[in-house]
Amino acid sequence: MSNDLMNMLQQQLGNDDFINSLSKQIGGAEPAQTKVAASSIITTLMGAMTRNASTPEGANALANALDRDHDGSILEDAIGMLSGQKQASNAKMVNGAGILKHLLGGKQNGAVDMISQLSGLDSSKTGSLMTMLAPLLMGALGKTKKQSGLGAGDIFNLLQGTVSTQRQQNTGNQGMDMISMFLDQDGDGDIKDDVLKIGGKLLSGFFRRKR
């Protein structure tokens, strides 16, 4: 099932036309930067979603939201719906801001800053991209739930397994390490300070390796 979920997302994020369209939608960006940012955003949001679904209450809330607002139809024309060119059957299906508020809360700005540094995409465009991709992830998860008949506990197991697989496949990837460490932070202070604290050495190594 984790493969089904990742395949749905990869069909979108691995499509050059889709990435080019996203780059235009966020105000013009280098497609390569958009692609790195998009991958990091999906990884970050999936990790946050897994944490939120780790309690019975959180898992039930996620399952109910998927049943109510995210049937996967967004995947049929993601750019059309996310750009407003095609009307979604349910406004909450494309309400990226609402999804992000629920998933990340006070960590949202910190997540944007972290992904901007990792991808080279400026923070305003990263924030816009995150708002666009949050409904895409919910749609893919909702479609997987519907096709496989998953219950609340099954959804958590699916998410946990997918995140675990991502970490195993990206062992030694400093960007992935940074995202994992960011999501593991439980502090209630300034998230931007946390990003700088946990990411300084990782970013230094990351950008040295890119040169």
Side-chain angles (χ1 to χ4, degrees):
M1 287 184 296
S2 61
N3 287 338
D4 293 339
L5 176 60
M6 290 311 300
N7 286 342
M8 285 183 199
L9 294 169
Q10 189 56 39
Q11 284 178 6
Q12 303 287 339
L13 301 182
N15 185 307
D16 289 342
D17 289 339
F18 183 73
I19 292 297
N20 290 337
S21 294
L22 285 178
S23 298
K24 293 176 182 178
Q25 285 294 323
I26 60 177
E30 289 294 329
Q33 292 180 331
T34 301
K35 192 166 188 176
V36 172
S39 177
S40 299
I41 286 168
I42 291 297
T43 298
T44 301
L45 296 184
M46 195 172 294
M49 195 178 293
T50 304
R51 289 191 57 162
N52 288 359
S54 62
T55 65
E57 294 81 5
N60 284 325
L62 176 57
N64 289 336
L66 293 175
D67 288 339
R68 184 177 62 247
D69 302 320
H70 304 281
D71 61 2
S73 58
I74 189 174
L75 301 175
E76 297 169 7
D77 184 2
I79 285 295
M81 290 193 187
L82 294 175
S83 66
Q85 295 174 2
K86 182 175 181 179
Q87 188 69 33
S89 60
N90 182 342
K92 290 186 178 180
M93 182 189 299
V94 293
N95 182 13
I99 294 169
L100 292 177
K101 182 177 180 181
H102 182 74
L103 287 181
L104 294 173
K107 288 190 175 185
Q108 185 173 337
N109 288 339
V112 168
D113 289 343
M114 172 187 64
I115 293 166
S116 293
Q117 293 182 69
L118 287 172
S119 65
L121 200 63
D122 71 58
S123 58
S124 64
K125 291 177 181 176
T126 299
S128 296
L129 186 61
M130 185 178 286
T131 301
M132 293 182 72
L133 291 179
L136 187 72
L137 175 57
M138 290 292 284
L141 186 58
K143 186 172 182 178
T144 303
K145 179 185 185 301
K146 184 177 181 180
Q147 289 180 341
S148 302
L150 304 181
D154 299 320
I155 294 172
F156 170 69
N157 290 335
L158 169 64
L159 289 168
Q160 188 179 49
T162 303
V163 170
S164 177
T165 298
Q166 284 184 306
R167 289 184 177 181
Q168 290 172 8
Q169 291 177 346
N170 289 277
T171 300
N173 182 310
Q174 291 170 312
M176 184 71 179
D177 291 342
M178 186 176 177
I179 291 171
S180 298
M181 290 166 59
F182 172 78
L183 291 170
D184 287 341
Q185 295 297 299
D186 291 320
D188 55 2
D190 190 335
I191 296 301
K192 291 185 180 180
D193 289 343
D194 288 339
V195 170
L196 293 174
K197 179 176 67 176
I198 67 177
K201 292 183 179 179
L202 287 173
L203 282 171
S204 176
F206 179 78
F207 287 118
R208 280 202 302 270
R209 182 167 56 83
K210 287 184 68 177
R211 291 194 183 99

